[in-house]
Amino acid sequence: MTTSRRTFIKISALGLGGVAASTSVLKVFGANTFMGDFVQKKTAKRLKRTATYCEVCFWKCAEWAYSNDNGEIIKLIGNDIDPHCNGRLCPRGTGGVGMLNDEDRLKTPLIRTTVNGEQTYREATWQEALDLIASKMKTVKEKYGAESFALFKHGSPGSHLEHLFKAYGSDTIAEPAYAQCRGPRETGFALTFGAWIGSPEPTDIRDTKCLVLIGSHIGENMHNSQVQEMSDAIDNGATIITVDPRLSTAASKSKHWLAIKPGTDIALLLAWMNVIINENLYNKDYIEKYTFGFDKLKEHVKEFTPEWAYGITTIKPEEIRKTARIMANAAPAVIVHPGRHVVWYGDDSQRERAIAILNGLLGSWGKRGGFYLNESVSLPKFPHPDYPKPKWGWEALGRKYPYAEMGITSELIKASIPNKENEFPIKAWIVAGTNLINTVPQREEIIKAIDSLEFIAVIDTMPMEITGYADVILPECTYLERYDGIRSATFREPSIALRQPIVQPKYNSKPAWWISKELGMRLNLQDYYNYNDYEEVIKWQLEKLGTSLEEMIQVGVKKFDRQTPLYIADGDEYKFDTPSGKIEFYSDDLASKGFDPMPIYKLHPEPPQGYFRLNYGRSPMHTFSRTINNPYLNALKSENKLWVNPKIANIIGIKNEQEVWLENQDGILSTFSIKVRVTERIGWDSVYMYHGFGHNDKKLSRAYGKGISDTQMISNVAVDPLMGGTGLRGNFVKILTEDPHKN
Ligand SMILES: Nc1nc2c(c(=O)[nH]1)N[C@H]1C(S)=C(S)[C@@H](COP(=O)(O)OP(=O)(O)OC[C@H]3O[C@@H](n4cnc5c(=O)[nH]c(N)nc54)[C@H](O)[C@@H]3O)O[C@H]1N2
Ligand SMILES: Nc1nc2c(c(=O)[nH]1)N[C@H]1C(S)=C(S)[C@@H](COP(=O)(O)OP(=O)(O)OC[C@H]3O[C@@H](n4cnc5c(=O)[nH]c(N)nc54)[C@H](O)[C@@H]3O)O[C@H]1N2
Ligand code: SF4
Ligand SMILES: [Mo]
C-alpha cells in the first residue's frame, strides 16, 4: 500500500492545485479521470473490481473499488452510469480508502472499567460487549419502558440500529441531519409545495439558465453531481447569483455576488418578490393555475421595496432590481437553491418559505431548469412482524414544535437531563455514526446529559470525542468492509446501488447489520431477523425489484424507468400536497397555529463591541469531523484557519499564520489555537472557519489539537419555533492573542 499511498497524494495534489489556483475549482473531479486511466493501463489485469457506494458523505456516489490479491484496496473510481457522480468521485470519496487504512481506528470492543480508582477501557470480546448492552436494554425496558432508551444515529449504521430500536419498542430516535441540518428547508418547502426537498435535491442545475445560491456554497460543499452540473451550467452560459457575506468559491464563479449582511436574507427575498410582483415579472398562467394566496402576498410585500431592504441587507437597490429581472428572464429555468445546512438564525423555516415562495412566483417548480419532480424506487421490506407501538417517542419529545417531522437531537438531549417535570425521561443511549460532541451545539448540555445517563454505548469506526463517553464501544468496520442497505435514490431517473464488502473487516471490527442482529437475538427479537446474513436480505429485495445480486455485482447501479412525468407540462392539472392543493403563498395552517402565514423579516442580534460573528462552512477536502484524521485527506488539509478581514487584522494587530485563541459571548474559551488567514474574502463583522476541526481526542494522532472546533464556540442557539432546528449562527467571538490556558 505504500506506493499507492504516495501515488494518491500526488494525484490529489493535482486536484488541490485547481482549488489553490481558483480558476477551475469546479473541475477538481477531473483528477479522477486520470486515476481511471492509471488503473486501467497499469494495473487492470491484476486488480479485482467490486461495486459499492461511498459513505464519506451522504451523496452516496456509486463507485468501483479496485483491490489486489492481498486484499488491499488500490483505488476507488466513480461508477460511470451513476447519476450522483457520473464516473467521478470528489476528493473525499477518492480518499475513502483512508477510512479503511487509518491505523487509529477502533479495533476491538471496549468496556469502561475502573482500575485503582481511575476509569479506563479494557478490551472485551464481542460476546461480552453485546451481552452487556443487551442486558442494559432489558433493564431499562423493565424499569422505565423501552421508550427511555434513545438512539442517536447518522448514515448507514443508523438504519440497522433503527430497526433494532423499533423492534425493541423505542422510537426515541434522532439524527443531526434534521435539527442541525436540513429540517427547516423541508418544513418551508412542505408548507409551500407540499413536498420535501430531500436528498439529492431535485434541482435541475444542468439545464438551468439562472442559479441563485443563498449561503449555499456549492464547490466547497462538494455534493458531487451538483458541483459538476453547476460547472456545466456556467460553461453553458447560465447566470450564477450568489448571496453570501463571504466570497465563497461559488461567489467567485458568479456573475453577481451579493455580499449580504449576515442574518438579513429574508429582507432580500421579500424585496425580490416586491420587484417581481411590481414589475409584473411573475409567471401569470402558472400563478393562476397552481398557486394560492397571490393577492395576499402582493399586499404583504408592497412595503418591502429594494430601498427598504438596502438599509437592512446593505445590498444596493439597483443590484436587487437587476438580479430580480435576471431571475424572471430565465424563468421557469431558474433555481433559487434551498441550500442544505440551513439552521442559521432561528427563523430558518420562514426563510426557506420565502425561498420556496420566490420559486413559486418564478414558476420554477416542476419545470426544466428549475426543480424536477422526484421519483424513487421503493425498496420491498424484508418480512418481519409489525413493530410494537411505543407509548411515546421522538414526536412526544418534539411536541412543542408542530412542524417537526423527525426526532430533534437537542430535545432528546434535554430529556436526558433529570428534571421532575419531564414526563418522558431518557435513561440510556446508543449512538451510532454521529459524533454528537462535534455536531450538536451547547456542549455543556450534552455532557450534562451524558453524566446523568445510566448507560451509553457508541458504535463508531474511529475513537472520536463521543466514544470517550461510552460505557461500551463497538468498533464498526468501514463501508468498504461490509454489506449495507441498497441505496435507493431519487434523481431524474430512479436508481439503486449496491454496497458489498471489498475486503475482509480489519482488526476485530464488525458491520452494524450484524451488531443489530446479535443484539436482537439477545432480546428475543429473532422474528425481526429472519436471515443469517445481510446478503440474504439484499438478494431477496433485488429479486423483488426484478434484478438480482449477480446482476448488481456486474453493474453496481441500476436505473429504472420513471412512472410519472419529470416535469409539469404547461397547462397540466397538478395537485400539490398542501391543504389547498396549490402552491401556498399564504398558509392558513401557519396562521391557525399562531405563526406568520407569510414570512417577515426580523432583526437578529448583532455582535457586541470587540466581538465578531462566528461564520463557518465546509472544507472541500473533508466531511464534518469524520475525515480529519483520515491519513490521505489529512495530508491535503490538516487544520482549519481563521479568516479575518485585513482591516480587523490591522486593528487587532494580528498577522497571517499567527496563532490566536477565541472566547465566545458566554466566556467559552477555545481549547486550542488557530492560525490566522488575513483575507478580503470575509467582511469586517465576521470571522470564518471550516467546520469539523479542533479534535480533542488524543487517540486521533493526526487530528488532535489541530485548529478550533466551531461547535465548541456555539453555546447560543436560536431555536426554530416551527420545527425545533437549532440556529447556530448567532454566536460571537473575541480574538485572543495570548494563550488563555497558560496560567
Ligand atoms: N458547529 C457545527 N455543527 C454542525 C454542522 C456545522 O457545520 N457546524 N453541520 C451540521 C450538519 S449539516 C450535519 S449533516 C451534521 C453531521 O453530523 P455527524 O454525522 O455527526 O458528523 P461527524 O462529526 O462526521 O460524525 C460522524 C461520526 O460517525 C463516525 N462514522 C463514520 N463512518 C462510520 C461508519 O461507517 N460506521 C459508524 N458506526 N460510524 C461511522 C465518525 O467516525 C464520526 O464519529 O452536523 C451538523 N452540525
Ligand atoms: N466538502 C464537504 N461538502 C459537504 C459536506 C462536508 O462536510 N464537506 N457536508 C454536506 C452537508 S451534510 C451539508 S448539509 C452541506 C452544507 O452546505 P451548504 O448548505 O451549501 O452550506 P452551509 O454550510 O450552510 O453554508 C455555508 C455558507 O453560508 C454562508 N453564510 C453564513 N452566514 C450567512 C448569511 O447570513 N446569509 C447568507 N446568505 N450566507 C451566509 C457562509 O459564508 C458559507 O459560505 O454540505 C454538504 N457537502
Ligand atoms: S460527494 Fe464525494 S464524499 Fe460524498 S458520496 Fe460522493 S464521492 Fe463520496
Ligand atoms: Mo448536513
Side-chain angles (χ1 to χ4, degrees):
M1 211 47 215
T2 43
T3 51
S4 69
R5 173 174 167 178
R6 198 174 310 119
T7 314
F8 172 87
I9 292 167
K10 202 175 104 208
I11 293 166
S12 296
L14 275 179
L16 190 66
V19 174
S22 174
T23 47
S24 60
V25 65
L26 301 174
K27 310 264 192 223
V28 287
F29 300 87
N32 290 290
T33 319
F34 174 65
M35 280 188 265
D37 290 349
F38 169 81
V39 170
Q40 262 168 4
K41 285 187 196 137
K42 307 271 190 219
T43 39
K45 279 191 204 97
R46 285 181 288 115
L47 295 181
K48 185 172 148 226
R49 190 180 91 152
T50 315
T52 190
Y53 62 86
C54 184
E55 177 98 6
V56 184
C57 88
F58 300 108
W59 208 247
K60 299 185 183 161
C61 299
E63 62 193 11
W64 294 107
Y66 288 84
S67 55
N68 66 17
D69 296 342
N70 303 331
E72 293 165 322
I73 298 178
I74 304 301
K75 282 286 179 282
L76 298 172
I77 307 280
N79 186 322
D80 282 334
I81 58 169
D82 184 34
H84 297 227
C85 74
N86 307 307
R88 292 182 286 171
L89 300 182
C90 87
R92 298 169 298 150
T94 315
V97 192
M99 282 171 91
L100 172 76
N101 293 340
D102 193 328
E103 69 288 358
D104 292 338
R105 271 175 65 173
L106 293 169
K107 299 188 173 75
T108 196
L110 299 170
I111 295 179
R112 183 181 291 266
T113 181
T114 307
V115 178
N116 301 331
E118 277 209 31
Q119 290 195 6
T120 178
Y121 287 111
R122 68 172 173 85
E123 293 189 358
T125 61
W126 276 97
Q127 175 87 5
E128 264 183 295
L130 292 165
D131 283 351
L132 178 56
I133 299 174
S135 80
K136 294 288 178 184
M137 288 180 83
K138 277 185 197 154
T139 315
V140 167
K141 191 169 184 168
E142 282 158 17
K143 263 169 81 181
Y144 312 102
E147 297 85 351
S148 286
F149 215 121
L151 171 66
F152 291 91
K153 55 144 189 147
H154 199 188
S156 302
S159 21
H160 300 296
L161 272 296
E162 184 168 357
H163 175 63
L164 171 74
F165 267 67
K166 287 188 169 161
Y168 161 73
S170 170
D171 199 15
T172 310
I173 302 175
E175 59 180 272
Y178 185 68
Q180 281 73 45
C181 176
R182 290 155 32 191
R185 106 182 162 183
E186 309 305 356
T187 301
F189 274 70
L191 279 164
T192 314
F193 293 107
W196 274 33
I197 290 288
S199 176
E201 291 84 8
T203 42
D204 210 5
I205 301 177
R206 186 181 69 187
D207 288 326
T208 200
K209 292 188 190 139
C210 176
L211 174 63
V212 185
L213 298 172
I214 302 180
S216 172
H217 54 334
I218 298 178
E220 285 152 293
N221 152 5
M222 275 298 194
H223 276 160
N224 197 336
S225 48
Q226 279 195 0
V227 185
Q228 295 186 33
E229 289 194 21
M230 179 167 146
S231 178
D232 291 347
I234 293 174
D235 289 348
N236 294 333
T239 305
I240 314 289
I241 298 170
T242 297
V243 183
D244 198 312
R246 181 182 67 101
L247 182 69
S248 61
T249 300
S252 73
K253 306 281 156 205
S254 301
K255 277 207 189 108
H256 297 271
W257 168 40
L258 309 186
I260 196 166
K261 181 173 168 184
T264 65
D265 296 80
I266 295 183
L268 172 67
L269 287 156
L270 291 169
W272 270 339
M273 292 178 207
N274 171 292
V275 176
I276 287 170
I277 295 178
N278 267 349
E279 299 188 6
N280 283 312
L281 300 174
Y282 53 91
N283 187 329
K284 285 163 207 85
D285 295 342
Y286 187 94
I287 285 185
E288 194 151 308
K289 195 157 181 64
Y290 301 118
T291 69
F292 170 83
F294 176 72
D295 292 338
K296 283 185 176 142
L297 179 69
K298 187 172 174 179
E299 188 57 32
H300 178 65
V301 300
K302 224 182 196 163
E303 58 186 307
F304 304 132
T305 59
E307 285 69 23
W308 165 82
Y310 175 45
I312 297 168
T313 61
T314 71
I315 299 169
K316 296 211 171 81
E318 57 271 26
E319 193 70 8
I320 297 178
R321 291 204 166 83
K322 201 198 293 168
T323 44
R325 289 171 196 145
I326 293 170
M327 284 180 226
N329 267 334
V334 52
I335 301 162
V336 187
H337 199 290
R340 186 163 172 126
H341 172 66
V342 293
V343 284
W344 298 359
Y345 304 99
D347 53 1
D348 304 305
S349 294
Q350 291 286 9
R351 186 185 65 253
E352 288 294 323
R353 231 179 86 71
I355 293 176
I357 292 172
L358 181 59
N359 278 299
L361 279 176
L362 294 163
S364 64
W365 189 267
K367 294 293 171 181
R368 181 184 295 277
F371 292 79
Y372 58 80
L373 303 172
N374 258 337
E375 196 183 296
S376 65
V377 178
S378 92
L379 288 181
K381 293 255 176 311
F382 193 80
H384 64 71
D386 287 343
Y387 294 128
K389 197 167 167 24
K391 290 197 196 70
W392 55 273
W394 65 264
E395 273 184 282
L397 292 167
R399 65 199 179 290
K400 265 201 329 227
Y401 305 101
Y403 293 102
E405 291 192 65
M406 283 175 72
I408 302 169
T409 43
S410 35
E411 291 300 312
L412 264 62
I413 290 165
K414 247 186 248 161
S416 308
I417 301 172
N419 167 0
K420 284 208 184 70
E421 273 141 51
N422 181 8
E423 287 171 74
F424 309 117
I426 292 175
K427 299 292 183 182
W429 296 357
I430 286 184
V431 182
T434 169
N435 187 12
L436 295 177
I437 306 290
N438 257 322
T439 293
V440 177
Q442 299 185 310
R443 196 170 283 179
E444 272 180 24
E445 292 285 295
I446 305 174
I447 312 267
K448 224 191 275 172
I450 291 175
D451 279 347
S452 323
L453 292 174
E454 294 188 6
F455 181 73
I456 166 169
V458 174
I459 303 170
D460 207 299
T461 53
M462 292 296 297
M464 291 289 193
E465 284 72 16
I466 186 69
T467 54
Y469 292 97
D471 297 307
V472 180
I473 301 173
L474 300 181
E476 187 175 18
C477 52
T478 67
Y479 70 102
L480 297 165
E481 301 162 294
R482 67 189 193 220
Y483 278 108
D484 258 318
I486 296 165
R487 180 199 86 185
S488 166
T490 59
F491 221 95
R492 294 183 182 91
E493 294 168 281
S495 70
I496 56 168
L498 177 69
R499 177 178 288 163
Q500 54 184 328
I502 320 297
V503 291
Q504 288 301 310
K506 277 194 180 181
Y507 315 114
N508 190 16
S509 62
K510 299 275 189 191
W513 69 259
W514 181 87
I515 295 170
S516 168
K517 181 170 190 290
E518 286 294 315
L519 288 171
M521 301 311 260
R522 284 165 171 79
L523 296 166
N524 294 324
L525 300 171
Q526 44 280 354
D527 290 352
Y528 293 87
Y529 294 92
N530 236 328
Y531 45 85
N532 292 316
D533 199 291
Y534 207 69
E535 191 185 287
E536 278 175 48
V537 177
I538 292 174
K539 263 190 176 154
W540 182 90
Q541 288 178 313
L542 290 172
E543 270 153 37
K544 291 268 167 204
L545 286 170
T547 170
S548 64
L549 185 57
E550 291 70 33
E551 185 190 2
M552 288 305 291
I553 286 172
Q554 292 305 314
V555 294
V557 173
K558 190 175 169 69
K559 293 184 187 171
F560 290 79
D561 292 335
R562 284 185 72 101
Q563 305 298 309
T564 56
L566 182 59
Y567 302 115
I568 305 173
D570 287 342
D572 253 14
E573 291 308 315
Y574 189 86
K575 199 169 174 322
F576 291 83
D577 195 11
T578 54
S580 63
K582 304 211 169 205
I583 299 169
E584 299 212 335
F585 290 158
Y586 182 94
S587 167
D588 281 320
D589 199 63
L590 278 173
S592 75
K593 293 190 168 88
F595 298 111
D596 297 323
M598 290 174 291
I600 57 167
Y601 164 74
K602 287 179 191 147
L603 184 71
H604 297 296
E606 296 282 316
Q609 183 70 29
Y611 286 80
F612 305 92
R613 190 182 293 278
L614 176 65
N615 186 3
Y616 58 83
R618 304 285 171 245
S619 158
M621 300 300 164
H622 285 286
T623 302
F624 316 124
S625 74
R626 69 181 56 198
T627 58
I628 312 292
N629 203 67
N630 177 314
Y632 310 142
L633 299 179
N634 187 276
L636 299 176
K637 182 137 218 67
S638 61
E639 62 191 326
N640 58 356
K641 298 222 166 131
L642 188 73
W643 295 30
V644 181
N645 183 278
K647 200 166 105 190
I648 300 306
N650 217 353
I651 293 170
I652 305 180
I654 49 175
K655 292 196 286 290
N656 251 332
E657 297 297 311
Q658 181 174 341
E659 279 184 50
V660 296
W661 290 257
L662 297 179
E663 179 176 354
N664 83 352
Q665 74 284 334
D666 296 324
I668 292 180
L669 292 170
S670 65
T671 308
F672 304 112
S673 63
I674 188 167
K675 287 184 191 142
V676 170
R677 171 178 174 191
V678 179
T679 170
E680 296 277 4
R681 291 175 63 179
I682 184 87
W684 49 264
D685 58 349
S686 306
V687 290
Y688 179 82
M689 66 170 74
Y690 287 143
H691 166 64
F693 289 82
H695 277 287
N696 62 14
D697 193 321
K698 286 196 171 143
K699 293 190 192 73
L700 300 168
S701 61
R702 281 169 292 271
Y704 173 77
K706 295 289 170 62
I708 288 181
S709 158
D710 59 332
T711 314
Q712 183 183 25
M713 295 288 104
I714 299 179
S715 52
N716 179 41
V717 161
V719 180
D720 189 313
L722 274 66
M723 52 59 68
T726 53
L728 306 178
R729 295 215 170 126
N731 287 267
F732 310 118
V733 292
K734 200 157 67 177
I735 300 174
L736 311 176
T737 51
E738 297 287 324
D739 182 352
H741 307 290
K742 238 191 210 151
N743 314 316

